[in-house]
Amino acid sequence: MLLPSPETLRNLVARYEELQVRHSEEGSHETARCLEDITYTLCVSTGTRTPEDALAVAERHLAQAELATATPSDVALTA
């Protein structure tokens, strides 16, 4: 399965989290609709059916992308 670029995934996750907070604070129809839209996009982008699964796939993909671009000194610092 093809996944979007790490930058696109980061943006989707950030937008999802932002809308979760806004919806819990406002609870408006507009934020609910925006949250539904971003949830759908995040799920389609990760090939999943639930936001929880989508976030887990995004987290794994972003972690792998970070490791792939890390320099040997970066890896040594995190070990």
Side-chain angles (χ1 to χ4, degrees):
M1 176 182 72
L2 293 175
L3 287 173
S5 70
E7 181 180 349
T8 299
L9 269 180
R10 269 190 224 84
N11 290 337
L12 287 171
V13 170
R15 183 77 175 132
Y16 173 82
E17 291 171 346
E18 173 193 335
L19 284 167
Q20 282 279 73
V21 170
R22 279 184 51 203
H23 184 62
S24 70
E25 291 172 350
E26 298 172 16
S28 71
H29 176 70
E30 182 182 344
T31 58
R33 186 182 53 74
C34 290
L35 182 58
E36 286 176 16
D37 288 348
I38 198 69
T39 300
Y40 174 81
T41 303
L42 186 59
C43 287
V44 168
S45 298
T46 57
T48 59
R49 292 181 181 224
T50 67
E52 296 80 15
D53 290 343
L55 291 171
V57 168
E59 184 179 320
R60 283 193 306 270
H61 183 63
L62 291 172
Q64 289 172 349
E66 204 171 295
L67 282 176
T69 60
T71 62
S73 61
D74 293 337
V75 175
L77 292 175
T78 61

